[in-house]
Amino acid sequence: MQIQENISLKPYNTFGIDVYAKHFVAFSSTEQLQELLSNSPVAFRPSRLMILGGGSNILFTKDFDGLVLKNELRGIEMIKEDDLYYYVKAGAGENWHRFVMYCIDKNFAGLENLSLIPGCTGASPMQNIGAYGVEIKDVFESLEAWHIQSKKIVQFSVNDCEFGYRESIFKRKYKAEFIILNITYRLRKQPFYNTSYGAIEQELEKMKVSELSIKAISQAVINIRSSKLPDPAVIGNAGSFFKNPEIPVSKFDELKKVYPNIPGYPVNEEKIKIAAGWMIEQCGWKGYRQGDAGVHAKQALVLVNYGNAKGKEIYELSGKIIESVQSKFGITLEREVNVI
Ligand code: FAD
Ligand code: EPU
């Protein structure tokens, strides 16, 4: 385990932004992490530490003047079961999609709608990742995390994590305080098929699936995603750049009078979630490109790097998009990607 100096982070972020980390090290056991944070002079300033998984939800706008800790904690283990569930623990550095495929193979149900999301398991509770009607909070049992300041391992239950839409306590109150080490997921023995997201039903029909299974749902999700989301190996991106805003029903009703086709999904009795991608498209940004920074031609919520865009260029483009959506719809978009 050697701390390297002046390392390009281009291979470590899916936007493919070429910035440098002053120091960089990968760790693959809790003992290594402990040793690093206890004995290494470059790790003494917690404000200068950054934990990196797959780098698929990050936009680097400048070099990182600190120590990047690349999480490579591995291991998948079924730790217990009861009548209804399998409890499966995964090291935070496990690749998310490979973990989902492992569970589907074993018939552990609950993750199928979350197929093909890039990144590692460690960030899954951080962001409360979600897709096609399912979020991590629905399958989450507990996690263990290293508290950087006190050097202690702390256990978190679902309530402790304060999950919200792409939110958790680790993004807010405990920002940069913990390193997530492992997560235990609660997976069903009897599947509960969630095909409520319209496109899944359509895709299953297209696939001519006669008997529903978690494998079929996973494949439907993979097909839908592959048809509209850019593959980071081909075009740099970090998925949805903005969150879908949640607005009061009264504001939605007003907008609907002017834009009858505006897509909205009830969150509760007071709030409606509206599709930011639709608003961005209405503002004329879909397929826009300036230099190597752009807006994906098939999904306007995804900003892309066609090759050598700087993080700042992508960030500036996101600012222009926020301004134009604000001026057309009176709604302020919030960035979903972590900007560094
Ligand atoms: P990173 O980008 O490495 O890190 C993200 C944040 O979490 C950083 O702040 C980092 O410091 C922190 N972090 C990472 N690991 C740890 C840890 N072990 N302990 C503490 N903090 C940590 N997201 C969705 O929710 N739904 C989608 O459908 C979806 N689709 C996507 C499609 C594409 C093509 C892409 C590129 C991204 C998509 N994303 C989606 C976003 C992204 O894949 C997820 O947010 C993913 O969970 C990020 O994982 P990561 O390991 O790459 O995290
Ligand atoms: N839409 C447009 N134009 C566009 C893009 C979308 O009109 O260019 C409309 C679609 O027609 C549809 C609606 O917007 O009516 C929703 O689009 P889509 O199903 O593609 O999903 P999304 O709201 O854009 C969200 C998540 C995704 C997740 C999908 C599927 C957020 C910020 N994004 O996207 O998550 O995969 O739903 O559940 O919530 C991510 O977080 O990185 C991510 C990709």
Side-chain angles (χ1 to χ4, degrees):
M1 190 183 45
Q2 201 178 346
I3 297 181
Q4 297 169 276
E5 267 183 62
N6 293 325
I7 291 295
S8 168
L9 294 175
K10 192 173 163 99
Y12 299 105
N13 72 97
T14 60
F15 251 126
I17 305 291
D18 195 14
V19 288
Y20 279 73
K22 188 160 187 197
H23 295 103
F24 181 95
V25 68
F27 66 96
S28 53
S29 72
T30 311
E31 292 71 32
Q32 282 185 347
L33 178 66
Q34 192 165 4
E35 193 196 317
L36 264 170
L37 296 184
S38 306
N39 300 328
S40 158
V42 296
F44 281 158
R45 294 166 70 180
S47 62
R48 294 271 177 87
L49 288 180
M50 183 186 169
I51 320 304
L52 196 59
S56 63
N57 205 29
I58 290 181
L59 176 68
F60 286 106
T61 57
K62 52 181 184 289
D63 290 339
F64 186 73
D65 181 26
L67 173 64
V68 170
L69 291 159
K70 172 88 176 78
N71 189 329
E72 290 183 352
L73 294 169
R74 295 275 147 75
I76 301 175
E77 194 190 347
M78 209 253 284
I79 52 169
K80 65 172 184 176
E81 62 182 299
D82 56 27
D83 290 349
L84 296 177
Y85 300 106
Y86 299 109
Y87 297 81
V88 184
K89 183 171 170 176
E94 284 289 342
N95 174 275
W96 175 257
H97 182 63
R98 275 205 296 273
F99 175 62
V100 172
M101 290 296 110
Y102 171 92
C103 292
I104 287 173
D105 210 41
K106 300 251 182 239
N107 237 351
F108 301 162
L111 301 180
E112 51 282 1
N113 294 48
L114 300 172
S115 298
L116 211 62
I117 297 180
C120 297
T121 55
S124 67
M126 175 87 193
Q127 317 285 138
N128 184 24
I129 58 170
Y132 301 94
V134 175
E135 289 182 332
I136 278 304
K137 69 169 172 45
D138 305 324
V139 290
F140 180 90
E141 176 65 13
S142 63
L143 65 76
E144 286 185 316
W146 176 268
H147 189 234
I148 297 170
Q149 204 74 42
S150 69
K151 303 187 168 67
K152 288 207 171 92
I153 294 177
V154 182
Q155 176 138 1
F156 288 78
S157 70
V158 68
N159 286 337
D160 298 332
C161 291
E162 296 182 7
F163 288 127
Y165 167 51
R166 297 293 191 280
E167 282 295 348
S168 76
I169 197 160
F170 303 104
K171 270 186 103 171
R172 300 250 167 215
K173 188 167 152 202
Y174 292 156
K175 195 174 161 81
E177 285 193 32
F178 283 93
I179 299 172
I180 296 169
L181 302 172
N182 59 66
I183 307 98
T184 300
Y185 301 91
R186 202 189 59 220
L187 303 172
R188 286 176 179 273
K189 290 189 165 176
Q190 286 301 320
F192 170 78
Y193 299 126
N194 186 337
T195 56
S196 57
Y197 215 92
I200 296 189
E201 294 275 9
Q202 284 163 27
E203 186 60 33
L204 288 167
E205 259 176 52
K206 213 161 109 191
M207 287 161 60
K208 302 198 180 353
V209 169
S210 51
E211 205 176 325
L212 212 48
S213 65
I214 56 174
K215 210 169 185 167
I217 293 184
S218 166
Q219 192 55 52
V221 168
I222 290 172
N223 294 352
I224 300 165
R225 295 180 67 97
S226 310
S227 72
K228 58 181 168 186
L229 290 169
D231 175 357
V234 183
I235 303 176
N237 76 95
S240 302
F241 197 89
F242 304 97
K243 285 188 185 181
N244 285 323
E246 296 177 353
I247 59 167
V249 173
S250 54
K251 168 86 182 162
F252 181 71
D253 291 342
E254 267 173 43
L255 285 169
K256 195 122 183 108
K257 283 183 201 147
V258 190
Y259 307 101
N261 298 330
I262 186 168
Y265 318 93
V267 178
N268 53 38
E269 279 182 9
E270 283 133 42
K271 293 212 159 152
I272 305 267
K273 189 184 272 188
I274 46 173
W278 182 87
M279 291 193 287
I280 297 169
E281 182 174 352
Q282 295 299 307
C283 290
W285 289 105
K286 201 168 181 171
Y288 173 90
R289 176 170 179 174
Q290 183 169 27
D292 274 351
V295 178
H296 190 48
K298 292 185 190 162
Q299 227 296 2
L301 199 49
V302 179
L303 302 195
V304 293
N305 173 11
Y306 284 104
N308 293 313
K310 301 248 178 282
K312 269 194 178 152
E313 292 173 273
I314 307 256
Y315 185 78
E316 278 165 19
L317 172 58
S318 74
K320 288 183 192 162
I321 292 173
I322 292 174
E323 269 175 35
S324 70
V325 168
Q326 170 65 42
S327 113
K328 192 171 172 79
F329 296 99
I331 291 171
T332 309
L333 293 182
E334 193 189 328
R335 293 178 182 90
E336 197 263 331
V337 166
N338 297 283
V339 178
I340 310 271

